[in-house]
Amino acid sequence: MPVSNGSNSFSIGRDGAFKLQVGNQTFDLENCTGFDQKQETASVNVDPVRGLQLFGEIPKGWSGSFEVYRKNAELDRLFAAMEANFNASGTLLNATLFGYIDEAGGGQTIYKFTGVSLKMDDGGTYAADKEVKQKITFKAQTREVK
């Protein structure tokens, strides 16, 4: 839930929900405990013989990660199926990742990452009386904001 006290409002990280779509399957990441995103760019620097330097950043997609508490084998099975699909056909399955952010002033912003490549960065550690946290990293071709 966003925080608002008059003219001051801000997000505190509890105002997001995330979903992952692979093929015709949708995975609700309801146990998501952290999500980060960043734009990837290629820097361009031009040093003209006369005048000041010129700089630019060429968009090269997005990357990030999310952490979830394992509630069942759903994500494990997804990654096993993606691996089996690649081994059988040589085809990589891409995903679509959605982020739904409730804004402090009301309304909702939707992030849609397309052409998403996924990696199970950490499948989790199993120990007595401890939750199992899994970490997924991603790279996306594009991010739309609605």
Side-chain angles (χ1 to χ4, degrees):
M1 167 179 284
V3 174
S4 180
N5 62 356
S7 62
N8 296 321
S9 59
F10 51 90
S11 296
I12 59 170
R14 297 169 133 188
D15 48 4
F18 304 93
K19 292 186 180 185
L20 182 63
Q21 185 176 5
V22 182
N24 60 359
Q25 288 186 292
T26 300
F27 301 89
D28 187 354
L29 305 173
E30 62 188 86
N31 290 350
C32 184
T33 61
F35 183 91
D36 69 79
Q37 59 180 327
K38 71 175 186 175
Q39 184 182 35
E40 299 291 332
T41 65
S43 296
V44 177
N45 300 319
V46 177
D47 294 317
V49 175
R50 300 179 108 182
L52 298 173
Q53 297 81 10
L54 304 171
F55 306 103
E57 294 293 329
I58 299 172
K60 294 289 184 179
W62 289 79
S63 65
S65 67
F66 54 91
E67 293 180 332
V68 295
Y69 283 119
R70 186 181 187 279
K71 64 179 183 177
N72 56 34
E74 186 176 63
L75 287 176
D76 297 294
R77 287 192 182 104
L78 168 63
F79 280 89
M82 290 170 58
E83 184 177 346
N85 182 73
F86 176 75
N87 290 335
S89 68
T91 303
L92 295 171
L93 295 176
N94 281 336
T96 303
L97 179 61
F98 297 91
Y100 303 89
I101 309 300
D102 295 329
E103 301 296 351
Q108 186 178 68
T109 300
I110 301 172
Y111 294 95
K112 179 181 179 184
F113 298 87
T114 58
V116 177
S117 173
L118 299 168
K119 176 183 173 186
M120 175 78 78
D121 209 40
D122 185 348
T125 300
Y126 293 79
D129 298 330
K130 299 272 185 171
E131 66 280 346
V132 177
K133 187 179 270 193
Q134 297 178 315
K135 182 175 183 179
I136 314 299
T137 56
F138 68 89
K139 292 184 180 179
Q141 293 173 330
T142 63
R143 183 188 79 158
E144 298 174 29
V145 180
K146 297 179 182 184

